[in-house]
Amino acid sequence: MTGPRAVVIGVGNEFRHDDGIGPRIATDLEKLGLPEVLVTLCDGEPAGLLDLWAGAELAVVVDAVLCEPCTPGRIWRTTVDALRGVTRAASSHAMGIPDALPLGRALGRVPDELVVIAVEAECLELGVGLSDPVAAAVPDVLAAVLAELARIGIETPAEPDRS
């Protein structure tokens, strides 16, 4: 394999409050300098996702979602197929993660495994900064992503910095 074993994609827009959870997690992970892991940002457009995760052993996508009923800050580990029809992507783009997977399958540009870490959003209006419940979830979201990487044998810190 020539590329990274795993890719972590922070999906979202940091200028729409809780939609910034993906970029926040990507920034925190990038600071760890994990070997064999590409950490990147994406606005959720299918073409961008396909380029990022193609050929990876594991792709972990972190994104904000809206649920009914909503519990802001609640974290879900799921797959794209499970997300479809149950939640609505919170990002500002017209198409998103659930649309990228079928396209990727058709083009042969999918990871071996795709995990979505979804965080229920409270506020998606224009503005900077996560809501209190989503900000409080950041350490647990980071731990969930690190657990996924450790599951495939990528060394991660025993305890991520929770500052």
Side-chain angles (χ1 to χ4, degrees), residues 130-144:
L130 301 174
S131 67
D132 288 343
V134 173
V138 167
D140 292 332
V141 176
L142 186 58

Side-chain angles (χ1 to χ4, degrees), residues 67-135:
C67 298
E68 291 297 329
C70 184
T71 304
R74 181 168 40 183
I75 302 164
W76 296 85
R77 180 201 183 274
T78 189
T79 64
V80 172
D81 292 334
L83 266 177
R84 188 181 293 280
V86 175
T87 60
R88 176 169 75 85
S91 49
S92 59
H93 43 83
M95 294 173 60
I97 302 163
D99 302 294
L101 196 57
L103 179 61
R105 285 181 182 136
L107 298 174
R109 299 186 58 78
V110 293
D112 293 345
E113 182 181 4
L114 174 61
V115 173
V116 177
I117 305 295
V119 182
E120 290 188 33
E122 179 176 79
C123 179
L124 300 173
E125 296 173 6
L126 291 177
V128 178
L130 301 174
S131 67
D132 288 343
V134 173

Side-chain angles (χ1 to χ4, degrees), residues 132-158:
D132 288 343
V134 173
V138 167
D140 292 332
V141 176
L142 186 58
V145 173
L146 291 173
E148 292 299 329
L149 297 173
R151 186 175 53 77
I152 66 163
I154 293 176
E155 285 193 40
T156 62

Side-chain angles (χ1 to χ4, degrees), residues 7-123:
V7 60
V8 178
I9 305 168
V11 175
N13 180 341
E14 65 185 331
F15 299 107
R16 292 192 62 214
H17 288 290
D18 291 343
D19 199 32
I21 187 67
R24 167 65 189 272
I25 296 301
T27 298
D28 289 356
L29 279 172
E30 186 65 29
K31 292 175 186 175
L32 298 177
L34 300 173
E36 304 180 284
V37 179
L38 169 65
V39 179
T40 190
L41 301 174
C42 183
D43 63 5
E45 290 299 328
L49 289 167
L50 299 182
D51 290 341
L52 294 170
W53 70 31
E57 182 178 336
L58 171 67
V60 180
V61 177
V62 180
D63 196 8
V65 293
L66 288 176
C67 298
E68 291 297 329
C70 184
T71 304
R74 181 168 40 183
I75 302 164
W76 296 85
R77 180 201 183 274
T78 189
T79 64
V80 172
D81 292 334
L83 266 177
R84 188 181 293 280
V86 175
T87 60
R88 176 169 75 85
S91 49
S92 59
H93 43 83
M95 294 173 60
I97 302 163
D99 302 294
L101 196 57
L103 179 61
R105 285 181 182 136
L107 298 174
R109 299 186 58 78
V110 293
D112 293 345
E113 182 181 4
L114 174 61
V115 173
V116 177
I117 305 295
V119 182
E120 290 188 33
E122 179 176 79
C123 179

